[in-house]
Amino acid sequence: MKVFHNTTKKIFLASWVTISQTEASHTHVAQLQAPTAKVFFSILSPLRRQIDKIQVRDRQLAHRLCQMIPSQCPFERDLKLFGKLLFHIPPMCKLNPLYEELISLRFRAMCYLADECGEDISQYC
């Protein structure tokens, strides 16, 4: 049995682009970014600020937040057939534009339960 039959082959392609110093000084950074991405993030910024402003001061709210927001992505899977890995579904949570804010809200709720209430939070880890 050879190892390379059971491993996944990864292909890595790279391309190098050189920009001369005169081109780099004339190129504006805003021109390099997609305009739709900037509009998309500006639409969600009020919602992000609202999530960041939520203060966890209630024990029931903290428990509810820890139960509703998962600690890891529920969509990440390894599909196997007869013990062999067919393919891997990557975590899709990182594609969520509010992922960082929700995870920080869950962390604040867990810290409130552990520090202020003195409860055991091992069930949420």
Side-chain angles (χ1 to χ4, degrees):
M1 182 169 130
K2 296 188 179 183
V3 176
F4 61 86
H5 289 299
N6 294 328
T7 58
T8 305
K9 294 176 179 67
K10 295 183 180 180
I11 299 173
F12 179 72
L13 300 174
S15 76
W16 293 91
V17 178
T18 59
I19 299 176
S20 66
Q21 188 66 17
T22 57
E23 290 178 20
S25 63
H26 294 299
T27 305
H28 193 270
V29 177
Q31 294 173 348
L32 298 176
Q33 297 175 351
T36 57
K38 189 174 181 180
V39 171
F40 180 69
F41 287 119
S42 66
I43 291 172
L44 292 176
S45 62
L47 187 57
R48 285 184 174 156
R49 283 194 297 270
Q50 287 294 92
I51 292 174
D52 283 336
K53 286 182 185 177
I54 296 175
Q55 294 183 1
V56 182
R57 300 281 181 217
D58 183 27
R59 179 178 289 174
Q60 290 178 347
L61 175 66
H63 279 290
R64 201 171 302 127
L65 288 173
C66 289
Q67 289 171 353
M68 287 175 32
I69 303 171
S71 62
Q72 49 185 302
C73 187
F75 303 112
E76 182 178 17
R77 298 277 186 262
D78 285 332
L79 293 179
K80 295 182 179 183
L81 182 65
F82 303 117
K84 293 198 177 211
L85 179 68
L86 293 177
F87 58 91
H88 174 76
I89 300 172
M92 299 294 183
C93 294
K94 300 262 175 146
L95 298 177
N96 183 356
L98 301 174
Y99 176 75
E100 295 294 327
E101 287 78 12
L102 291 174
I103 293 300
S104 67
L105 178 61
R106 184 179 194 276
F107 181 72
R108 288 195 310 263
M110 288 175 60
C111 288
Y112 174 77
L113 288 173
D115 297 340
E116 302 292 326
C117 301
E119 293 188 18
D120 181 30
I121 58 168
S122 61
Q123 62 186 355
Y124 300 124
C125 295

